[in-house]
Amino acid sequence: MGYVPVMGYVPISGPAGMSASEGHALVDIHSARREDRFLAPHRENMVVTADTIPSPIRFLLNGEPVEAADVAPQTTLLAWLRDVRRLTGTKEGCAEGDCGACTVVLAEPLAGRLSWKPVNACIRLLPSVAGKAVFTVEALKEAGGALHPVQRALVDCHGSQCGFCTPGFVMSLFGLYKNAYRPEVPVIEDALSGNLCRCTGYRGIVAAARAMYDAVPCEGFRACGVAADGSRVVSQEEERLAADAAALADAGTFLYEAAGRHWWAPRTVDALAATLIDNPHARIVAGATDVGLWVTKHLEDIGDIVYTGDVDELRAIRETDTHLVIGAAATLTDAFAALDATWPELHEAWARFASVPIRNSGTLGGNVANGSPIGDSMPALLALGAAVVLRRGSAVRELPLEDFYLGYRKSALQPSEFVVEVRVPQRRPDLLLRAYKASKRYDQDISAVFVCFALTLDGNVIANARIGCGGVAPVPRRATATERELAGKAWSDATADAAMRTLAAEFTPIDDMRATASYRRAMLANLLRRFRLETSGVRVCTRIEQVAAGH
């Protein structure tokens, strides 16, 4: 995932690990050319196999089965909801996944129940919801018209003023309501990190997130999804909806065809490999948190699409004795939870990666394959020694992540080749690990600099050093000169000081709207100093909240 390149190698906007609302919404262009989202010219040489028959997009919408057809595969869920179904409670604000006005809840069948996740409808491609359940704000009120506890709490806590952003907040809070019981404020703030409010302020909205559990509870799928003891609450209605959604999914490769374009959604990795061999010019799409912007911001025809999100093998996460293995189509939410379990020092970096709705759609494999120089996952993975497994047809190969990137937006991927999984070596003993992100905002912002330090000590001697950097070069890169400067030396202030000078001179970043080159060089060095302070064994305040608390 990443952005449209401008000013050299630093892209300007987009929500991938690095999201910012710096791009303009182009609302007038969108309104004038909204039909273009549903029409696209034909391109030749696409192969439709005999055993794959085109079918419409079937899914549940607010609990009822629906079919979508005769709209281009690159149509966004938001455009279809508003323009075809006239469900206008879901708003278009930024059209890039930053403001949250378009938030809906996507529920996928999982072991007889539904997995409830808020997502951005503005950059979610419509065919990707086939076999799933979509819930919009219109679904929350009771049959008699009574407000849902989330809505009632927002009213009672004065959490809405102009109201444009309110449906998005409602759906993000409904997602929280289905996944947590009386969460603490940091969890609430994380759940709302993808929603912007320009006039009300957040105090009333956060208060509503706490008060919604005090309202008269709902029944059925609208009920709170977690009990006071932390157990999952699954109603009979939810079980029925899960079964209904699963019944709408194709057993084999789902093929959708409209407006001269094709959408393939294979169910197995073998079928994916075969589809890409047959259609080498098709675009691989996972969460579309970057590709979606090509549609909404640049009004591009992105051609035929092969979707990886329905391949169970690519969504799997497993552990071996030597590695944590994350499938390329595992969502960022799931991938970060797995990484958190072994490397908790990285938790803040993952929490600051875009927002909950983006992490629920975006994938780790997509972020890695996109290769944005300001993608936040790659520096940490470089520091951890990750590798990528690639496949083309039946041929499989593995590359160290640092060898995957050949230049700005250029990777080692060959035509019809795709990322299968990311392999991260298991944690080494005596590891010192920190990741730091410098950006203008804490939440939902693009990194000016991202750096991850990983030192393995033998006693107090640095046995191994790996430093992953983002935002300072055309591709995510290791600071190899600084690693050599550190290796074999005692971990001391003097060693850190010498390494700081090396790190400040190692890259040649550019000036752009986020930071100057000199700022980036200074930031790299200063973050190494911070790393030394936090791992020296001496208690030193390095965070504003620590100073405020008197620590």
Side-chain angles (χ1 to χ4, degrees):
M1 298 182 291
Y3 312 95
V4 180
V6 296
M7 300 177 65
Y9 56 75
V10 178
I12 188 171
S13 67
M18 28 192 186
S19 182
S21 297
E22 295 169 355
H24 297 292
L26 302 177
V27 172
D28 293 339
I29 294 176
H30 283 196
S31 300
R33 295 187 55 193
R34 191 172 294 277
E35 313 82 37
D36 294 356
R37 297 183 182 186
F38 308 105
L39 300 175
H42 182 67
R43 187 169 70 194
E44 303 295 337
N45 301 322
M46 293 295 108
V47 175
V48 179
T49 58
D51 59 346
T52 303
I53 301 173
S55 59
I57 305 163
R58 300 186 181 96
F59 61 100
L60 298 183
L61 177 61
N62 295 334
E64 299 298 326
V66 296
E67 289 188 358
D70 301 323
V71 295
Q74 69 181 52
T75 302
T76 65
L77 175 59
L78 175 65
W80 186 83
L81 287 172
R82 291 181 60 84
D83 296 349
V84 177
R85 300 294 297 198
R86 299 299 180 186
L87 293 172
T88 54
T90 307
K91 308 299 184 185
E92 180 175 69
C94 66
E96 62 182 44
D98 276 345
C99 74
C102 68
T103 304
V104 298
V105 170
L106 184 65
E108 297 189 52
L110 176 67
R113 63 176 183 85
L114 292 172
S115 173
W116 304 81
K117 294 183 178 181
V119 300
N120 298 110
C122 70
I123 52 175
R124 184 85 189 198
L125 302 186
L126 178 62
S128 72
V129 305
K132 304 174 179 66
V134 174
F135 294 90
T136 69
V137 68
E138 288 87 352
L140 295 196
K141 67 179 180 181
E142 299 283 356
L147 294 178
H148 187 273
V150 172
Q151 297 167 312
R152 171 51 57 194
L154 280 166
V155 172
D156 293 345
C157 296
H158 309 285
S160 178
Q161 190 164 320
C162 84
F164 183 85
C165 68
T166 303
F169 275 99
V170 167
M171 296 313 292
S172 285
L173 289 176
F174 177 62
L176 181 64
Y177 193 71
K178 297 299 295 183
N179 287 290
Y181 180 79
R182 297 190 183 277
E184 297 296 325
V185 169
V187 177
I188 295 171
E189 292 175 343
D190 185 51
L192 299 177
S193 62
N195 296 85
L196 297 179
C197 178
R198 300 300 190 190
C199 56
T200 305
Y202 296 95
R203 180 178 297 175
I205 298 170
V206 172
R210 305 185 78 172
M212 64 187 182
Y213 296 96
D214 298 325
V216 176
C218 293
E219 296 183 352
F221 80 82
R222 298 174 179 85
C224 182
V226 178
D229 63 1
S231 61
R232 176 68 64 175
V233 177
V234 181
S235 66
Q236 290 184 344
E237 184 179 24
E238 180 176 335
E239 291 176 345
R240 177 184 61 78
L241 291 172
D244 290 349
L248 296 175
D250 285 50
T253 296
F254 166 52
L255 170 61
Y256 173 71
E257 183 179 1
R261 286 288 182 253
H262 304 90
W263 170 285
W264 288 272
R267 306 288 295 189
T268 68
V269 71
D270 288 341
L272 173 62
T275 300
L276 289 170
I277 289 293
D278 289 340
N279 303 282
H281 302 294
R283 188 179 304 281
I284 301 173
V285 169
T289 53
D290 181 40
V291 172
L293 275 70
W294 306 355
V295 175
T296 62
K297 300 302 241 184
H298 295 273
L299 307 178
E300 290 185 20
D301 167 22
I302 61 175
D304 297 273
I305 297 168
V306 176
Y307 177 63
T308 65
D310 289 338
V311 181
D312 288 340
E313 297 124 298
L314 296 191
R315 299 178 67 176
I317 299 174
R318 68 185 192 280
E319 288 202 53
T320 70
D321 291 340
T322 58
H323 288 82
L324 172 65
V325 183
I326 301 173
T331 65
L332 292 166
T333 297
D334 293 340
F336 291 163
L339 289 162
D340 243 4
T342 301
W343 297 278
E345 301 96 325
L346 302 180
H347 175 77
E348 182 179 308
W350 306 142
R352 294 184 61 193
F353 189 117
S355 64
V356 168
I358 292 296
R359 297 195 296 268
N360 284 340
S361 281
T363 65
L364 186 65
N367 198 231
V368 167
N370 187 283
S372 168
I374 45 177
D376 286 353
S377 75
M378 292 85 85
L381 293 172
L382 286 168
L384 295 176
V388 289
V389 176
L390 312 177
R391 175 169 172 176
R392 181 180 185 275
S394 60
V396 178
R397 61 184 177 129
E398 181 172 338
L399 283 178
L401 185 57
E402 55 263 39
D403 295 340
F404 181 71
Y405 303 112
L406 306 180
Y408 177 72
R409 293 303 182 110
K410 294 181 180 180
S411 74
L413 282 173
Q414 300 173 0
S416 299
E417 192 171 37
F418 60 97
V419 179
V420 177
E421 60 194 23
V422 178
R423 295 172 55 83
V424 186
Q426 291 287 10
R427 187 179 185 115
R428 301 183 299 273
D430 301 317
L431 175 69
L432 300 180
L433 178 67
R434 295 290 190 280
Y436 304 109
K437 174 173 179 169
S439 59
K440 294 181 183 295
R441 298 193 304 267
Y442 183 88
D443 286 315
Q444 187 83 317
D445 202 0
I446 298 172
S447 297
V449 173
F450 191 106
V451 61
C452 184
F453 301 101
L455 303 184
T456 303
L457 300 185
D458 182 1
N460 193 45
V461 175
I462 301 168
N464 181 270
R466 293 183 68 97
I467 304 171
C469 302
V472 294
V475 296
R477 252 185 208 162
R478 286 175 59 190
T480 53
T482 308
E483 292 171 359
R484 290 192 295 270
E485 175 72 32
L486 290 166
K489 296 181 180 177
W491 182 225
S492 65
D493 290 346
T495 298
D497 288 343
M500 287 172 61
R501 292 188 290 271
T502 302
L503 185 55
E506 184 152 356
F507 300 103
T508 54
I510 65 169
D511 296 333
D512 69 7
M513 65 197 68
R514 278 180 285 281
T516 63
S518 60
Y519 172 89
R520 287 183 160 105
R521 286 191 290 266
M523 181 57 67
L524 280 175
N526 289 339
L527 289 174
L528 178 53
R529 164 56 62 188
R530 177 176 172 180
F531 176 56
R532 168 59 190 164
L533 290 172
E534 291 181 354
T535 59
S536 66
V538 178
R539 189 168 185 174
V540 178
C541 293
T542 59
R543 305 177 65 95
I544 293 173
E545 56 265 33
Q546 291 175 330
V547 176
H551 293 163

